[in-house]
Amino acid sequence: MSNEHTPLLTSGVCGLDVGMATVCGRGQPGETSPAHAGAPKKEPRKLDTFFGVMVPTVLSMFSIVLFLRTGFIVGHAGLLQGLLMLVVAYTIISLTILSICAISTNGAIKGGGAYYMISRSLGPEFGGSIGLMFFLAKVCACGVYVLGLVEAILNVFGIEPDAAVLGGVRVLPQGYWYNVLYSAAVLLLCLLVCLVGAHIYARTAFVILLVVNVTLLSILVSPLAVPAQDFNITHHGPDNQTLHYDVSYTGFNATTLRGNLWPGYTLDYSTNSVMSFATVFAVMFTSCTGIMAGANMSGELKTPSASIPKGTILAVVYTFIVYVVLFFLVSSTCERDLMTQDYGFLQRINVWPPFVTIGIYCGALSAAMSSMIGASRILHALAEDQLFGLPLAPAAIKSSSGNPWVAVVYTWALAQCVVFAGQLNAVAGLVTVFYLLAYAAVDLACLALEWASAPNFRPTFQLFSWHTCLLGIVSCLVMMFVINPVYSSASIVVLLLLLLFLHYRSPTSSWGYISQALIFHQVRKYLLMLDVRKDHVKFWRPQVLLMVSNPRSSSQLILFVNQLKKGGLFVLGHVQLGDLDSFPSDPVQLQYNFWLSLVDKLGVKAFVDLTLSPSVRQGTQHLLRITGLGGMKPNTLVLGFYDSCTPDDYFLQDPAFCHASPGKTQEDNYNFGVDLPSLQAHFPPVRHVESPRWLSPEEYVGIVSDAIKMDKNVCLGRYLFELQGEGRDSKVDGSERTIDVWPLNLLQPSRCDRVDVCSLFLLQMACVLNMSGRWRRARMRIFLNVEAASGEQGWAVNEETFRELLRKLRIRAAITIVPWDAAVRSYCACCAGPEDGSENAAEDAAEATPPRPRALSDDFLSAVNGLLMEHSSQAAVRFLYLPRPPAHYSQSQQYLSQLEAVTNRLGPTLLIHGVTPVTCTDF
């Protein structure tokens, strides 16, 4: 049996079979991929909390902002707005961290980090789309860090007239294409390190963290050792102008602090555009995109459920303190122009400038490698789950040590495209929007799990609630549009397109769908609110239980009844004969998947309810009593007709059940472990004429009688296998169809002048069919039987009364008067007796108590059949009045023979007996 780690089934345009070892395996001949192997080899996990989570998270959050953009933020936004930005950013990520901790402590986490959390919580569609967006965010972040590193390198070693920083060995030419070249060289270095393996990077990252912390310490002590200084900074302005700025480093100074309190947004010399709160916040937020660095290493962690929360929280607290201290430090010691005109000013004011240079290089390089490793792990997880099929299939390949080297190469190639942007600030907005969208998705995943109230959602981390999740979602979405409405709208559109793509590919997973838990939670709540005591006839709708013996011969009936439900309950019921004592386990439970797959194949909106019983009659009684919940219980029983016709095998006629269906792939025939051959094999062949029947006439009539006693309406369908155009791919619009309704009891002519509850129910069901999609344009005709030769004009009054009734019921139909004097004479000749009187008391007694069926003559039955053939032979379907079954089961065969004779060779027919009022003339 598959588990939650089983890869998705592929289907659709990208769903080609990629199971070969050289594509989806480890790249070794003869080996199979973990996606296909029965017991995949478990990869070693080597990293602990400090090395696997805290170190990469701290380095990613420091990245290039700490040393290259701190002055940019404080210089443009001022200290107060800078701190506000910091608080807002850390509030957002703190809310997301609470969600990450909750999800990560609710079970085992494999590789893929945030993608694994989202996909296993929200399902493949949402998880796959957000996972791909998060992968792109990581790729863009890698490009940003590389561009920042190149900027720092050129600030020291770049050849440029009137350079901003004097001194150094200036041997590197500058320009757009040179920047791209240097970025490519840095990316190549990151690629080589990442190809070695994440554990090697994690060990070297600790050394990098030591270097960065030493650099931080030098920055903190420098104001105590470095005296006040003045600098002259030169930039190239528009039209090849040279701009000079005289700036000062004052040391700790109250006047400098007061001058830096408020914002002063000005021109950004790197992009030649005026900054604003949104653009500065976008750059600053790139320092907060590293909170997933530890989660993305989940595949290499020894205990990810414990390491991710602890390491991430410690890293965030540490980096927040460092940023606050640094913001106060630079705003108290540096004039605004120094911070806005030289983003590398920390080198100028350090006690030993190479400290800062080394720190920048180490921080930016480690952040770039961390992003590349994190992105490659997400891509590898996507490839292993086979969400996007063939394009990502090679990314599932691993080295012998478990390193997904192909995914690393994919990531390197895309990051190479990002560096063509040329400047760090130009890409920062896009990176921030992508990350905010991913963080909102993590919060949404935790919110959905919390709202679903699933008993198995028991995270050991308890410092969260649905309030924190919802606040995190709202804050992420708001800040996305504050930063850049265009990027935000575009990213959401891309997300929706990915959602639609994955939805229509219909990947099947065994991860568990949060949507199912949420639906269950809401349905239970609303079912409790659906009070049967508040039912009213004007809101009545058919809720159908259709008993099916073998879908091979009943599929057309299933399709037809699907048109009759009018948004009501539709249940397919089946009784398996047997006694539970004779089975080791319940045999019915194993059949549900086959029946549900049948429902999917037929495209009907139906539930399935199966039972085990010694007899079909008892099983039907069980289903009539227990099917449904609360106010959603069947009120109508539908049965196929009991006759001797040899049924056709619908599975041999419908292309959906054939092996060689054009345009169908193997995956289209797979549904939760039930493929097409097993579906066909599960249902037995249709019975032959000589085959014994499991249901006797007495038992069949008893089922009808039981349903009426239980206050259920009854419909018997005959010849519905002749009905065409009911499949989901049918183009029939009903314009050529006719619905014929005979609302009066044709087997009791003495009662044909009365419209009772059964007649009104029959009219209602015909009207419901006329309102369904494939019958909406069909014409409805109503036939009234009269004795024209009686000399009385009572039938004319009855006709006018009936027309008035149709008007009140808002039923549009043509009324046809049908004389049936010959049939009445045949009836009177064979049924003379006191029961034929027309006294109201006798008629009321007959309605209350099932009459003993009279031995109707063949002439009368033939006359009625001929009448129906004469007027309704061209109808698409006919609705006839079904008399009550006899109280004496010895008369069951006679009762069925009469019904069979009346409907013989008639075509698709529905015999209906209604017992509940279903029409209303009031608003």
Side-chain angles (χ1 to χ4, degrees), residues 78-92:
L79 176 62
L80 297 182
Q81 280 198 10
L83 292 175
L84 175 63
M85 292 180 184
L86 195 66
V87 170
V88 170
Y90 271 78
T91 299
I92 292 175

Side-chain angles (χ1 to χ4, degrees), residues 225-482:
V226 178
Q229 301 180 40
D230 295 325
F231 306 101
N232 182 268
I233 299 176
T234 303
H235 291 306
H236 283 297
D239 301 326
N240 292 325
Q241 295 180 354
T242 301
L243 303 177
H244 297 274
Y245 299 91
D246 293 323
V247 296
S248 299
Y249 162 73
T250 63
F252 287 109
N253 189 292
T255 303
T256 303
L257 178 62
R258 286 193 296 269
N260 290 326
L261 287 178
W262 308 106
Y265 296 106
T266 183
L267 191 72
D268 171 26
Y269 69 83
S270 66
T271 60
N272 289 321
S273 58
V274 178
M275 294 292 98
S276 64
F277 181 92
T279 54
V280 173
F281 181 83
V283 173
M284 198 274 306
F285 196 82
T286 57
S287 67
C288 301
T289 57
I291 61 171
M292 293 287 194
N296 292 333
M297 301 287 288
S298 58
E300 285 81 17
L301 297 175
K302 294 177 182 177
T303 55
S305 296
S307 298
I308 291 175
K310 186 187 303 182
T312 304
I313 291 175
L314 290 175
V316 169
V317 171
Y318 175 68
T319 55
F320 179 77
I321 294 173
V322 168
Y323 275 116
V324 170
V325 171
L326 200 58
F327 276 23
F328 274 102
L329 179 70
V330 298
S331 61
S332 302
T333 58
C334 302
E335 288 185 351
R336 186 183 301 272
D337 285 345
L338 175 61
M339 295 185 285
T340 57
Q341 300 305 324
D342 182 11
Y343 299 150
F345 72 97
L346 290 176
Q347 299 174 54
R348 295 176 180 268
I349 63 173
N350 196 269
V351 63
W352 189 53
F355 265 142
V356 178
T357 302
I358 296 172
I360 292 174
Y361 294 171
C362 290
L365 189 62
S366 66
M369 288 188 291
S370 176
S371 295
M372 182 174 289
I373 290 175
S376 64
R377 268 44 179 186
I378 296 172
L379 184 64
H380 175 70
L382 284 167
E384 281 198 325
D385 288 337
Q386 302 178 18
L387 277 174
F388 294 93
L390 188 60
L392 297 187
I397 300 174
K398 290 183 178 181
S399 66
S400 58
S401 62
N403 188 28
W405 64 272
V406 177
V408 173
V409 174
Y410 268 51
T411 305
W412 166 79
L414 290 175
Q416 186 64 61
C417 299
V418 175
V419 300
F420 280 97
Q423 290 294 335
L424 182 156
N425 291 0
V427 195
L430 182 62
V431 174
T432 300
V433 166
F434 277 169
Y435 271 104
L436 284 171
L437 189 60
Y439 293 166
V442 174
D443 290 323
L444 178 62
C446 189
L447 177 67
L449 290 169
E450 178 71 9
W451 274 355
S453 301
N456 282 323
F457 183 59
R458 300 188 299 270
T460 56
F461 182 86
Q462 294 292 321
L463 299 179
F464 79 101
S465 69
W466 68 268
H467 304 86
T468 61
C469 301
L470 187 60
L471 183 60
I473 296 172
V474 173
S475 57
C476 286
L477 294 178
V478 169
M479 290 311 302
M480 279 174 58
F481 283 92
V482 168

Side-chain angles (χ1 to χ4, degrees), residues 553-634:
S553 58
S554 305
S555 294
Q556 288 287 18
L557 179 60
I558 296 172
L559 293 171
F560 177 75
V561 175
N562 187 56
Q563 301 291 320
L564 277 176
K565 65 181 187 299
K566 187 55 181 174
L569 183 68
F570 181 23
V571 181
L572 299 183
H574 175 73
V575 178
Q576 179 173 337
L577 298 179
D579 189 344
L580 190 58
D581 290 338
S582 61
F583 293 96
S585 61
D586 186 4
V588 167
Q589 298 301 321
L590 301 176
Q591 299 185 31
Y592 270 96
N593 270 3
F594 294 97
W595 284 84
L596 292 172
S597 296
L598 172 73
V599 168
D600 293 338
K601 282 289 183 183
L602 293 175
V604 297
K605 297 178 181 179
F607 297 95
V608 173
D609 213 346
L610 312 178
T611 189
L612 182 70
S613 178
S615 69
V616 177
R617 183 178 180 183
Q618 289 185 22
T620 305
Q621 289 179 7
H622 297 164
L623 293 178
L624 282 172
R625 292 184 186 279
I626 66 176
T627 296
L629 286 173
M632 294 192 69
K633 296 183 73 69

Side-chain angles (χ1 to χ4, degrees), residues 64 68-69 143-153 360 364 424:
I64 45 91
L68 284 181
R69 288 299 182 267
V144 166
Y145 300 146
V146 169
L147 289 172
L149 177 58
V150 170
E151 178 183 318
I153 293 173
I360 292 174
L424 182 156

